[in-house]
Amino acid sequence: MAFCSRNSRNIIIINLLKSKVGSSRLMKLSRVCCYGTCLNSTNHCRFLPSTTTLPQLGNPDPNSHKKGHSPCSQRFQSTKSGQQFASLPNGEHSQVLDFPGGNVVFSPEMQFLSESPNVYNPCYRVLDDNGQLISNSVFVQVSEEIAVKMYSNMATLQILDTIFYEAQRQGRISFYVTTIGEEAINIASAAALTSDDVVFPQYREPGVLLWRGFTLQEFANQCFGNKADNGKGRQMPAHYGSNKHNYFTISSTIATQIPHAVGAAYSLKMDKKDACAVTYFGDGGTSEGDFHAALNFAAVTESPVIFICRNNGWAISTPTSDQFRSDGIAVRGQAYGVRSIRVDGNDALAMYSAVHTAREMAVNEHRPILIEAVTYRVGHHSTSDDSTKYRSADEIEWWRMARDPVTRFRKWIETNGWWGSEAESQLRSSIRNQLLQAIQIAERAEKPPVKDLFRDVYNNIPSHLREQEKLVRETINKHPKDYPADVPVDVAVKDDGVSVYDVDVIVHDDDLIIHVR
Amino acid sequence: MALRNIIGKRIGNGIGLVGRRSLSTATSDVENRNAKSMNLYSAINQALHLALETDPRAFVFGEDVSFGGVFRCTTGLADRFGKARVFNTPLCEQGIVGFGIGLAAMGNRAIAEIQFADYIYPAFDQIVNEAAKFRYRSGNQFNCGGLTIRAPYGAVGHGGHYHSQSPEAFFCHVPGIKVVIPRSPRQAKGLLLSCIRDPNPVVFFEPKWLYRLAVEEVPEHDYMLPLSKAEVIRQGSDITLVGWGAQLSIMEQACIEAEKDGISCELIDLKTLIPWDKETVEASVRKTGRVLISHEAPVTGGFGAEISASIVERCFLRLEAPVARVCGLDTPFPLVFEPFYMPSKNKVLDAIKATVNY
């Protein structure tokens, strides 16, 4: 087997395969060869020079940052920009500057790093467009049970999206965001994680929550903002959050969650937990400063965090050509010292394998991993968007039908004899009925009481907010017609004759001193 | 006691985090046993040492904190608690605060340092849209209450535009965070420990001019001063002065001189700007009938405007004169012109007299 070892990514793959030898989970080894990133004018692969050492996995060298890069990951000389030489000519080692950042090799030639590679960063995929395994593909095996659960969740997500979208169109909920086209990213990534891994989503990842057990009723409750919404009706629909499921509450702001994930990952590392942090964002989100800040912090703090970018081609109406000029997102990882991979986001098996592997690296090696999942946003950006205004309906239809990740995965599980048309129709009608019912229940339920407007701004309600609540209640009494009828305005339930919100609690020398206002 | 159990369940973590030391309501209650003369940065350093000592899940991070910090506030922490708990971050305020939010969201005490308040703005989105709303938007399922952001603020004599700013007003307009400003070393230690242990995200501005200049007897033990409690630091009957941070010592000098002219000034240290202690200020205004607010930050839209509006709303009929504000000018903080820009003792004194003689 010829191993191209000049690219550090390939080296990593090699070691991983070696470590997995004997594990039944690893399927066929591929010819792990240059995916075109080892470049020279003749495009040959070269063997690793015997003098070079491979980077060690599993026992990260804490001083590696001082020693500088391994020769295989250094930038090489070339006579033209855009070309990279295969290896470091031995003679050049003599001129070296021992710089605080590492050993820097001099060069009398002036060469600029190219702004673009000769070949696009390859995209890892395992299933072809017809859901059939590509020969010699490397992937992590999935049991029938998991595969069927993955498929069911993907189909459920599709139906959930369709029905909620309709509900918004009917005026029953104010807003909705679909995940159509990105079901594989959502479900397969979630399936590859454990329930202890903490998730910091953007807003197009309800599938992760679905996988973890958030019920259809709970989704409906949040969208209708009723009193059972664990967010207490404070945010727009589709802004889910659940501490029970380790899924941090969504905020509409783009990319702000990415550095949060890094801090959370650092905490997990300090607590020595077998868990990582995972955060999702779109191609647009990678332009925000928070993305860059987070990757850099993750590398420096050596935090076990997985960055999953859903590169779906569009940020509302902005195509990726208006978003960045790099070859996508995964290539940026190396610039920050973050290991990264580009994956076919519509290939559930590839997504599962990549995330599974990334998680092991993150947790065992205390390092961040960047995954660029290439996909397509089939739906509009949201219910406030009509994407036919900036892209062709044909393009949308093509991706919806020919490249549907759900169908593709279904074909694979059917090929394995794990699924059939009867199971399919049963699932779809069952989910549909459950959803319609959940929506009816959610719609009829009461909204949270008006006191929830004033609570949780701080851990306790401060006096100025209590005062404002009092004034608002006076206004409500005076002008009841100004206010929605389905928001209860009753005063807080009394306990032991004392309103729970009218009490100061002070801790004094281990005694609770309760001052009743 | 049944009620205790109910309160305990409902308030939950809020109690435990306050700590088991007695809360003092006034400086005089802080026992002076084992007090040592020290300056502001040493007092802050002590508070940080105590915070990390008493809570194994407390972390200190920011630019240059590892070697002790550009103002020496973090001296000795990395050596004592290790580089995993006290560490340098890359030069990126949005990253510092974003990372801190994530750390705090997992139940840790994330004590982030912003090197100068003048550089806090890249983190403004994270503070306003994330930290301040983290608990509310999640329906109290999550919170980042363990986050404390420390930043040196204020004039230093030669700081110019970008080493002298007082940005507190921007943050006072954000429901969900607290803003705290100490006036002296002893106050700083007790307030910082309260901020760190308070279950809400807090921005703590430290008056950099006082880092070396202010020296005071500071008790060496672990003590906390209450947030949202203003303090009357000088009793008087003719006029109420309200301020915070370094400006209080300027105002105090003005009060002393006004005394020579027979004007009795009551001086209040607000300490916490949001949520602020309206009751104490109002009680004083009801006594004196006159109020003057002074801060270094530019006068327009400064926090003095909020205090003024609130006092006028609530004490209108008691007021004998318009509410006076002696503040910085509406210009970027100048270098050569700093003495002209600053709300000096004489500016304050003139305003005291004008208000009293209105």
Side-chain angles (χ1 to χ4, degrees), chain A residues 230 234 241 243 249 251 253 256 260 263 266-267 271 289-290 453 455 458-459 467 495 500 505 507 510 512, chain B residues 4 7 10 15 20 57 84 92 94 98-99 102 108 126 130 135-138 141-142 176-177 199-200 314:
Chain A
N230 55 17
R234 288 160 182 163
N243 60 359
T249 302
S251 64
T253 44
T256 49
H260 301 171
Y266 190 80
S267 174
D271 287 343
D290 278 338
L453 165 57
R455 267 107 195 121
Y458 299 93
N459 70 315
E467 212 177 285
D495 241 292
V500 173
V505 178
V507 174
D510 294 344
L512 273 172
Chain B
R4 172 201 284 235
I7 300 301
R10 297 221 189 220
I15 296 174
R20 291 167 175 262
R57 303 191 77 201
C92 178
Q94 71 193 101
F99 176 91
N108 301 292
Q126 284 287 344
E130 304 299 312
R135 183 192 295 274
Y136 190 81
R137 74 189 187 199
S138 73
Q141 292 191 91
F142 300 106
I177 56 171
N200 296 288
R314 301 151 85 93

Side-chain angles (χ1 to χ4, degrees), chain B residues 99-301:
Chain B
F99 176 91
I101 290 170
L103 198 55
M106 299 292 282
N108 301 292
R109 299 236 176 277
I111 307 164
E113 176 174 307
I114 299 292
Q115 197 155 82
F116 282 85
D118 313 56
Y119 314 141
I120 200 168
Y121 308 108
F124 199 66
D125 182 36
Q126 284 287 344
I127 294 170
V128 171
N129 274 330
E130 304 299 312
K133 299 170 171 57
F134 212 83
R135 183 192 295 274
Y136 190 81
R137 74 189 187 199
S138 73
N140 201 22
Q141 292 191 91
F142 300 106
N143 73 77
C144 60
L147 176 67
T148 304
I149 301 165
R150 299 175 37 246
Y153 90 99
V156 72
H158 54 273
H161 297 351
Y162 304 111
H163 298 82
S164 318
Q165 287 180 40
S166 300
E168 69 270 10
F170 295 112
F171 299 93
C172 291
H173 193 54
V174 186
I177 56 171
K178 297 192 177 182
V179 177
V180 178
I181 306 183
R183 70 172 185 270
S184 76
R186 185 149 93 182
Q187 289 293 311
K189 179 175 168 181
L191 286 171
L192 181 56
L193 281 167
S194 287
C195 291
I196 290 167
R197 294 165 177 162
D198 189 272
N200 296 288
V202 182
V203 181
F204 186 76
F205 287 117
E206 301 165 359
K208 68 173 85 65
W209 202 333
L210 303 184
Y211 273 146
R212 288 178 202 275
L213 224 65
V215 178
E216 202 177 21
E217 294 286 305
V218 178
E220 298 216 277
H221 65 274
D222 186 339
Y223 66 94
M224 291 162 66
L225 296 173
L227 302 186
S228 294
K229 280 271 177 300
E231 185 186 349
V232 178
I233 61 177
R234 183 189 174 88
Q235 300 265 5
S237 53
D238 293 332
I239 180 172
T240 300
L241 280 81
V242 184
W244 50 86
Q247 189 62 11
L248 280 167
S249 60
I250 307 290
M251 294 162 86
E252 191 168 41
Q253 289 170 39
C255 291
I256 291 168
E257 274 204 39
E259 183 107 75
K260 297 184 188 139
D261 286 337
I263 301 174
S264 164
C265 299
E266 181 144 294
L267 183 57
I268 298 180
D269 177 6
L270 206 58
K271 299 202 218 183
T272 300
L273 270 62
I274 53 160
W276 66 282
D277 182 359
K278 292 185 191 176
E279 283 78 23
T280 299
V281 177
E282 265 174 57
S284 174
V285 175
R286 286 188 201 290
K287 190 168 71 166
T288 64
R290 293 174 188 84
V291 61
L292 180 154
I293 306 149
S294 185
H295 56 66
E296 282 179 31
V299 61
T300 297

Side-chain angles (χ1 to χ4, degrees), chain A residues 99-132:
Chain A
F99 186 56
N103 290 333
V104 176
V105 178
F106 287 132
S107 162
E109 300 197 18
M110 174 171 55
Q111 72 250 333
F112 291 78
L113 283 176
S114 175
E115 72 279 4
S116 64
N118 274 6
V119 179
Y120 290 125
N121 189 21
C123 187
Y124 168 58
R125 91 164 13 180
V126 164
L127 296 176
D128 65 19
D129 284 335
N130 285 319
Q132 303 311 306

Side-chain angles (χ1 to χ4, degrees), chain A residues 127 129-132 151 401-402 405-417 419:
Chain A
L127 296 176
D129 284 335
N130 285 319
Q132 303 311 306
Y151 177 74
M401 302 310 295
V406 185
T407 312
R408 190 165 160 198
F409 194 61
R410 192 180 95 215
K411 287 179 180 166
W412 185 68
I413 59 172
E414 278 175 346
T415 303
N416 289 348
W419 195 253

Side-chain angles (χ1 to χ4, degrees), chain A residues 208-257:
Chain A
V208 179
L209 198 47
L210 181 68
W211 175 271
R212 289 182 168 201
F214 207 60
T215 66
L216 300 178
Q217 190 64 63
E218 286 176 304
F219 279 108
N221 289 338
Q222 196 283 330
C223 286
F224 281 89
N226 64 37
K227 71 170 183 222
D229 169 23
N230 55 17
K232 298 182 187 169
R234 288 160 182 163
Q235 289 210 91
M236 288 167 78
H239 286 62
Y240 313 109
S242 176
N243 60 359
K244 194 169 80 177
H245 301 103
N246 278 330
Y247 188 95
F248 278 82
T249 302
I250 289 165
S251 64
S252 318
T253 44
I254 299 294
T256 49
Q257 72 280 4

